[in-house]
Amino acid sequence: MSLKAPSSAGTFVAHVVLAYGSQLHRFLMRRLRTREDAADVAQEVYLRLLRLERTDLIRKPAAYVYLVASQVAAEHRLREKTQPMALDSEALERLTDMSAFAASEEPGRVVDIDRELQRLLRKLSVAHRNVLILRKRDGLSTKEIASALALSEHTVKKYLFQAMAQLSVSRKTAKLERKSDE
Amino acid sequence: MNNGQRTVERELKVAEEAAEWLEKLPSANESERREYVDWLAESALNVQAFLHVSAIDASLDRVDPEGAIEVTPDPEVANWCNVVRFSEPCGDAAPVREDYSTPRRIEDGGYRKVGNIPGHEDGEGDEDVEADSTQRRPSRWWIGIAAGGATLAVIMAGLLSYDHYRTDQWQAYVTADGERKSYALPDGSLLKLNAATRVEVRYSGKARELRLESGEAIFKVRHDTSRPFNVYAGNVGVQAVGTEFAVQRRSADAVVAVLEGRVRVDRNAQALSAESGSALPSPAIGLNAADAPVQPVYLSAGEEARVRNDGLLEGRGKADLTRLEEWREHRLVFVNENLENVIAEFNRFNPDFQIRIGGPGAAAGQYFTMSFDAEDPESLLAVLERNPALRVERRKHDVVIRAQ
């Protein structure tokens, strides 16, 4: 069985990648674990975004960032495996199965990530953690959180963004520390 | 050092901006999106920060599924007692998600109750639960449940106390052929049923017991040390504390696969049941609780074991996590499916995000062979938008697909 080959490798990857959006997140989680990779991927994503047609980018901004990031990721991966990309059903399987997107990320890693996140969460201030947990775990809107915690929505948003930023930056720093320990 | 501090401060500032965009983008208008693109184009550091924050956001999707983190009063906020919505008496640190009063179905839209809750009719608050869920991030399914759960807890508080549900009756959850459903159990644990599956649930003060009568189910267990979570599949008993695992019951054996955490597999369900202070009503076939004092087996994440009905452990190895994840993640798989059906399927999973076909010609001759995240209709739209034959029209309350 062979799949109809789309017009170009680009759209092919795009299609696959769009269909596997949630795995992209997981990929990013892992790929961004080392600083070099993160900077690397980000730089490449950046350059490609600049080349994209602006109107497209404006139409679906986040989707395009993920799309481009996952293209970069997929190419990274294929390069690592030094497998040429062929447009057949096998390639599709490779792309969808390959570990970059594979759902079965090593369980140990997932646990590590969770633990690390828990640790970072504990380091947040109570106010920041409350907002973040209500938003992300319990799925409340910022408005709902504002009324629940008797804060202004503006404050809730501020805490939310600060909390996310602190997690993101301290995870990066934690990585660095670990590296220098080794 | 000063320099390093300044770097961290700058990074924090950029990351805050990224987090703000991440939150804002789903509902951003064109000029806001334009602004975002400008921001991205400013520097590769911004792109990097956005990817980092996205990654954090993605991992937060799965954070603390057991609800162990309590939302505690902030000493700086004096009137914490305004937090009445969580149904807990004011004063003590009130855990937010404790009160899952009733099982809910979470597919085709509503967080509907199923089965019979003794002494309570179908609640009228159901519609409210879904209201304004557009405000919430589209997220993993269990977050969706959590969202519904928090609100539902408020609605149901007072109407139905937990004690009402603590009955010795078994309550059945059933799926037909080709059907998959998810339920939130009273304690916040989640039950995902594969096709043609029947699970019976009994919650008592001592134990949470589930009988897998047929088919396959994933159990995402909420941590509760006082009440073990036992799953019986014929003669096989599985016990978990704060974990996620799948059990598949077949005619001659049961397959247990662990997605997260660790479970104990008992090759004698009756023994496990008795240990938890209850008893299985119907004696399991072929095996007596008295004999076969076999040691339980412990499985950890990524492992799977096949246990025969006579208690023999047949295979222990790596679980097929890809298959389970695919199921867990609600993947929609289309093979040469026409656009109309693809859209219908998405609409079924996303009541707040309806896609319509405008005009008779639009869907003609459009066939898809693809796999999507069921809760991510944007991915479908992104594909459609790249299709030169189609035009995607985003309107206030829905999206219309037209022929170009």
Side-chain angles (χ1 to χ4, degrees):
Chain A
M1 191 199 88
S2 86
L3 282 157
K4 207 165 58 176
S7 50
S8 74
T11 41
F12 174 76
V13 175
H15 278 218
V16 171
V17 142
L18 281 170
Y20 284 80
S22 65
Q23 270 95 340
L24 169 66
H25 283 304
R26 228 171 278 140
F27 168 81
L28 286 173
M29 274 298 287
R30 203 169 50 171
R31 175 57 76 191
L32 299 176
R33 280 173 80 80
T34 68
R35 195 181 168 83
E36 298 76 42
D37 279 344
D40 220 32
V41 169
Q43 183 68 34
E44 217 172 321
V45 170
Y46 176 66
L47 292 175
R48 286 192 204 191
L49 283 176
L50 291 185
R51 288 205 299 270
L52 256 182
E53 262 206 56
R54 231 181 132 74
T55 45
D56 286 349
L57 196 54
I58 288 165
R59 201 144 44 101
K60 291 186 62 61
Y64 271 99
V65 174
Y66 295 140
L67 172 65
V68 170
S70 49
Q71 270 172 337
V72 171
E75 282 164 27
H76 244 262
R77 194 71 201 174
L78 285 174
R79 265 207 303 275
E80 270 172 27
K81 289 190 162 181
T82 59
Q83 279 166 339
M85 194 155 94
L87 297 177
D88 55 21
S89 59
E90 234 177 79
L92 175 73
E93 256 160 52
R94 234 182 3 249
L95 270 174
T96 55
D97 282 358
M98 67 190 187
S99 40
F101 293 118
S104 56
E105 184 167 21
E106 316 93 281
R109 267 272 168 79
V110 176
V111 173
D112 279 354
I113 292 167
D114 286 353
R115 235 180 250 142
E116 194 190 355
L117 201 60
Q118 301 279 359
R119 190 179 60 80
L120 294 176
L121 279 172
R122 274 200 297 276
K123 281 167 70 180
L124 291 178
S125 81
V126 174
H128 285 98
R129 189 172 50 233
N130 282 349
V131 169
L132 192 72
I133 287 293
L134 289 175
R135 180 82 185 100
K136 300 295 176 186
R137 183 190 69 187
D138 299 337
L140 268 58
S141 72
T142 47
K143 204 182 231 161
E144 286 170 322
I145 298 169
S147 81
L149 298 182
L151 298 168
S152 73
E153 196 181 351
H154 176 80
T155 309
V156 168
K157 281 184 174 164
K158 194 179 77 190
Y159 283 166
L160 179 66
F161 304 149
Q162 284 174 347
M164 293 284 288
Q166 280 171 27
L167 287 184
S168 161
V169 170
S170 49
R171 197 173 67 181
K172 245 163 76 185
T173 339
K175 256 176 256 159
L176 281 181
E177 279 163 10
R178 218 175 307 137
K179 278 228 151 157
S180 62
D181 281 354
E182 277 162 14
Chain B
M1 202 67 253
N2 237 344
N3 216 349
Q5 253 171 27
R6 227 172 297 142
T7 313
V8 170
E9 265 165 40
R10 200 167 50 226
E11 273 187 62
L12 272 175
K13 192 182 150 282
V14 175
E16 269 173 48
E17 289 168 7
E20 188 169 351
W21 280 119
L22 192 69
E23 174 85 11
K24 220 153 117 183
L25 274 180
S27 59
N29 61 31
E30 198 188 319
S31 81
E32 286 169 326
R33 294 202 300 267
R34 212 174 273 276
E35 224 178 288
Y36 164 73
V37 171
D38 287 342
W39 176 80
L40 275 185
E42 261 169 38
S43 152
L45 288 176
N46 291 1
V47 174
Q48 190 175 341
F50 187 76
L51 290 174
H52 268 291
V53 169
S54 296
I56 280 284
D57 186 60
S59 52
L60 280 171
D61 264 3
R62 312 174 59 150
V63 77
D64 189 34
E66 285 116 43
I69 300 176
E70 289 183 4
V71 174
T72 48
D74 182 351
E76 283 169 34
V77 180
N79 48 350
W80 173 259
C81 287
N82 283 348
V83 190
V84 286
R85 56 190 294 116
F86 301 130
S87 78
E88 291 286 327
C90 185
D92 293 339
V96 170
R97 291 200 312 166
E98 277 315 314
D99 191 9
Y100 282 82
S101 307
T102 182
R104 292 172 302 284
R105 235 197 85 191
I106 57 143
E107 232 133 317
D108 42 51
Y111 294 84
R112 240 164 272 135
K113 290 185 296 134
V114 288
N116 295 315
I117 313 293
H120 186 68
E121 299 274 314
D122 234 76
E124 62 279 26
D126 289 320
E127 284 78 31
D128 300 352
V129 176
E130 271 296 306
D132 116 324
S133 60
T134 38
Q135 286 268 319
R136 300 183 179 121
R137 294 176 60 266
S139 191
R140 295 279 173 274
W141 56 273
W142 53 80
I143 303 290
I145 298 162
T151 322
L152 195 80
V154 180
I155 293 161
M156 299 302 286
L159 283 179
L160 184 69
S161 77
Y162 181 68
D163 283 323
H164 271 108
Y165 191 77
R166 268 166 59 172
T167 123
D168 281 342
Q169 281 173 324
W170 290 90
Q171 188 168 354
Y173 299 81
V174 186
T175 50
D177 282 346
E179 191 185 25
R180 282 174 175 175
K181 285 183 192 166
S182 303
Y183 297 97
L185 294 171
D187 64 332
S189 294
L190 299 174
L191 180 60
K192 273 180 92 68
L193 306 186
N194 207 342
T197 297
R198 181 184 175 89
V199 173
E200 294 183 357
V201 179
R202 177 172 73 178
Y203 273 33
S204 69
K206 284 184 196 147
R208 296 168 286 175
E209 296 179 290
L210 299 94
R211 274 202 311 230
L212 178 61
E213 299 289 316
S214 61
E216 183 180 27
I218 290 182
F219 308 90
K220 192 173 172 68
V221 184
R222 205 175 148 96
H223 189 79
D224 180 357
T225 36
S226 66
R227 290 188 304 160
F229 190 99
N230 297 344
V231 175
Y232 314 118
N235 285 319
V236 182
V238 185
Q239 186 175 79
V241 181
T243 182
E244 184 170 7
F245 61 99
V247 181
Q248 184 180 17
R249 180 159 184 196
R250 309 198 284 208
S251 55
D253 55 24
V255 180
V256 182
V258 182
L259 288 149
E260 280 171 32
R262 220 162 104 95
V263 303
R264 161 185 163 179
V265 179
D266 232 290
R267 285 169 273 175
N268 183 339
Q270 296 224 298
L272 184 59
S273 169
E275 201 181 283
S276 303
S278 71
L280 285 176
S282 54
I285 330 135
L287 193 83
N288 200 310
D291 51 62
V294 272
Q295 289 296 309
V297 177
Y298 289 89
L299 298 177
S300 36
E303 274 194 302
E304 132 183 323
R306 179 198 316 264
V307 189
R308 273 189 2 199
N309 255 346
D310 58 10
L312 216 73
L313 185 77
E314 273 206 325
R316 178 173 178 173
K318 248 181 104 182
D320 183 1
L321 290 182
T322 317
R323 184 185 74 86
L324 291 172
E325 287 270 358
E326 210 166 273
W327 167 20
R328 178 162 84 161
E329 292 200 350
H330 261 322
R331 209 143 264 288
L332 295 178
V333 180
F334 301 107
V335 179
N336 222 4
E337 193 62 75
N338 70 40
L339 182 57
E340 221 166 306
N341 290 346
V342 171
I343 287 177
E345 194 66 7
F346 264 102
N347 287 344
R348 205 166 69 75
F349 277 94
N350 300 280
D352 298 321
F353 196 111
Q354 291 292 302
I355 306 173
R356 297 196 308 108
I357 294 175
Q366 297 289 343
Y367 289 88
F368 292 86
T369 296
M370 288 189 104
S371 157
F372 293 97
D373 181 342
E375 284 152 31
D376 183 16
E378 281 289 349
S379 61
L380 171 67
L381 292 185
V383 170
L384 297 182
E385 274 172 348
R386 302 178 143 247
N387 189 321
L390 300 174
R391 201 175 63 209
V392 176
E393 202 180 295
R394 289 159 190 277
R395 306 192 309 187
K396 202 163 179 191
H397 297 292
D398 59 2
V399 178
V400 182
I401 311 297
R402 293 186 198 283
Q404 193 59 268

